[in-house]
Amino acid sequence: MSKMAKYASIIWAEPTNDDVQARNGAVDALKLDLSKLTTRQAIEAASTIAQGFGGAELSDLLAPKAEKAISDRSAAFVLKGSEQQAVICLAVAALALVQDPVKSADGWTAADALAASLWSALTFQNQLEHAKMEELRKDVIEACRSRVHAVAKAARLRQDVPDVGTLTIAESDVGGSRANAAYRKATAPVIKALKENQDLDREELDFLWWVLSEYSELLSGPLTGAKPLCRAIASGLEGATLLRRLPGDGFRHAVLRTVEPTDLVSLAALLTALAAERTTLAKHHEGTWPVTLPAVFPLIATLASGDAASACEIELDARDWGARALLEASIIAMEGRQAGAA
């Protein structure tokens, strides 16, 4: 199936079969490149791709990959002056990658990180004037949203605990290590399943205790005592720290259970409404790596800097700001656990 057929008219008014086939090959190569990124690099790649929709230059991470993937199949291609082609190919490659079946048990592969980060970044952009580019942006958003929902569900399925395998000791093995090695091999699947199930049980217990307590460590007081906008963002930021997988719909509803709808406000107006509370909400993120990626973390980066001068004009109510806080903070939490496990 052609990945570029739907989007080739963004590049050429009348694309030929050769044009489309060449870009399909570039998209396949870029999809493979994206799949090999670390999760942190995938988050950075999402930032670059999202900003590329607005005309920003590609980062040093993606520019050479895009130029090579396209020029290997179209010798006349030069990146300078044709950056939009590269952005389109990268976006379609990302679309293809996040549409692949979910396979990881822990829910945090390069594809998962790319999906969550692109969803965060692209949904906080103004609509594009170019109709076909806007269609591509919306297609990527929908695919990323679908993957995050699928990952949140699949990664929380409890594993069946298998029976202990047969102890087999090869005659060629020497010394007292034979029995220990055989025992570890026989019990490893059992222990792995028990540990992963325990991890999910712990997540549910910690999260439910927090929900029932209605107390915020971040605000040093009850959530119900805070103003709606502050309560929504604090709930999203804090709820994410208790999750060990990306949040599904049920977790989002629980996080926002006490937040009522409000008038729509922009990010700049949100800062004004929060006033001194902004510092409290941002205290764990000031000077951290996410604030260097405001395309992916627009809310958290703005809370940390206190500057919304260049922010998108999109307006949200308190519940949607809380949902955004949950998504952004969940990406950070997942990446933090990945780094801690390394």
Side-chain angles (χ1 to χ4, degrees), residues 228-278:
L229 285 168
C230 180
R231 186 192 320 157
I233 294 170
S235 296
L237 295 177
E238 194 163 351
T241 65
L242 300 167
L243 300 182
R244 307 188 181 202
R245 303 290 189 271
L246 287 170
D249 288 342
F251 288 96
R252 186 180 71 254
H253 293 319
V255 164
L256 301 175
R257 71 203 179 283
T258 66
V259 179
E260 61 270 19
T262 64
D263 292 337
L264 302 179
V265 295
S266 66
L267 188 49
L270 175 67
L271 285 190
T272 301
L274 291 174
E277 293 164 332
R278 177 198 67 81

Side-chain angles (χ1 to χ4, degrees), residues 97-158:
L97 180 60
V98 302
Q99 288 176 327
D100 279 349
V102 174
K103 296 179 180 179
S104 172
D106 66 4
W108 198 240
T109 63
D112 303 328
L114 187 68
S117 302
L118 276 172
W119 184 19
S120 176
L122 293 177
T123 51
F124 205 73
Q125 288 184 344
N126 295 320
Q127 182 172 316
L128 300 173
E129 293 184 3
H130 193 299
K132 282 291 185 179
M133 282 294 285
E134 177 63 11
E135 184 179 15
L136 173 57
R137 187 180 74 93
K138 287 182 176 178
D139 286 348
V140 175
I141 289 173
E142 185 53 40
C144 290
R145 180 189 291 116
S146 296
R147 184 178 184 91
V148 171
H149 286 167
V151 167
K153 183 176 181 180
R156 287 187 171 86
L157 294 176
R158 299 302 195 272

